[in-house]
Amino acid sequence: PAPTDGQPATPRRGRPPRTERQRAAHRNRLIDAAIEAITADGADTSIEQIAEMAKVSKPVLYAEFGDKLGLVDAIALRRAEDVQRTVLTKIAEGGVFDMERATVAFVEALVSLIADEPEVYGFLVRSMRTGDRRFLDNALVRVVHEQAAAFIGFAIRGREEELTILV
């Protein structure tokens, strides 16, 4: 607070506020550490192990992600974005949308995710099975589902246009 009597301001308690960029960098660092811990320790990695790898306390993880499922969703979203980027890059290589190219790219990206990071995939799937979560309550599955629906919708619209031209 600003002094009213000409005295220096008293320092505030706690951490100084962080910018949005700093918060995002911190969150990304925690997600990176979680993936590293899961890769090293397997699909049954605990929050304690993740906190140790990130060099933070468990309360810091909980403050950032809410609970373990929040962390699971953050990791799943990261991997879903990776899959999406890979698929869009492959589609763009052709210059024109090709449903077969999109389908192959999509399947290859998913298989690669599972084959390249089996521990991370196992961590996501095991966590998806806990509690009252349904299949689509996982960020990875949601993004895959949305992407597949978009591809199918695009393909159907393309076929309708072809049919209109033929008629």
Side-chain angles (χ1 to χ4, degrees):
T4 56
D5 59 1
Q7 296 296 316
T10 55
R12 298 181 78 186
R13 298 186 102 189
R15 288 180 168 257
R18 291 185 289 181
T19 66
E20 190 63 37
R21 176 182 269 164
Q22 289 169 324
R23 280 192 296 276
H26 177 68
R27 183 178 180 87
N28 283 328
R29 189 182 71 73
L30 294 176
I31 294 169
D32 290 342
I35 292 169
E36 189 177 338
I38 295 162
T39 301
D41 298 328
D44 292 325
T45 301
S46 68
I47 288 292
E48 291 84 5
Q49 291 168 298
I50 292 170
E52 184 178 317
M53 180 67 74
K55 296 179 177 41
V56 298
S57 64
K58 285 187 345 184
V60 169
L61 287 175
Y62 289 129
E64 185 64 43
F65 300 104
D67 58 11
K68 185 175 182 178
L69 292 178
L71 176 60
V72 167
D73 280 344
I75 294 168
L77 187 57
R78 164 88 61 88
R79 288 303 175 246
E81 289 168 349
D82 293 344
V83 166
Q84 189 172 38
R85 256 191 311 282
T86 300
V87 171
L88 292 175
T89 299
K90 291 286 186 185
I91 291 171
E93 288 172 0
V96 181
F97 182 81
D98 175 8
M99 187 60 174
E100 184 176 340
R101 178 190 305 271
T103 304
V104 168
F106 194 65
V107 170
E108 285 176 351
L110 288 174
V111 169
S112 179
L113 169 71
I114 296 165
D116 295 346
E117 296 183 303
E119 297 86 5
V120 174
Y121 180 75
F123 181 82
L124 297 175
V125 170
R126 285 183 184 173
S127 298
M128 196 170 33
R129 294 180 183 165
T130 62
D132 296 331
R133 297 189 97 186
R134 297 180 324 222
F135 188 66
L136 290 178
D137 288 340
N138 178 283
L140 177 62
V141 174
R142 268 194 317 273
V143 170
V144 167
H145 180 261
E146 291 166 5
Q147 223 174 29
F151 288 154
I152 291 167
F154 190 81
I156 290 171
R157 281 192 302 278
R159 296 287 181 230
E160 289 171 354
E161 290 171 10
E162 287 175 16
L163 293 175
T164 305
I165 292 170
L166 291 174
V167 175

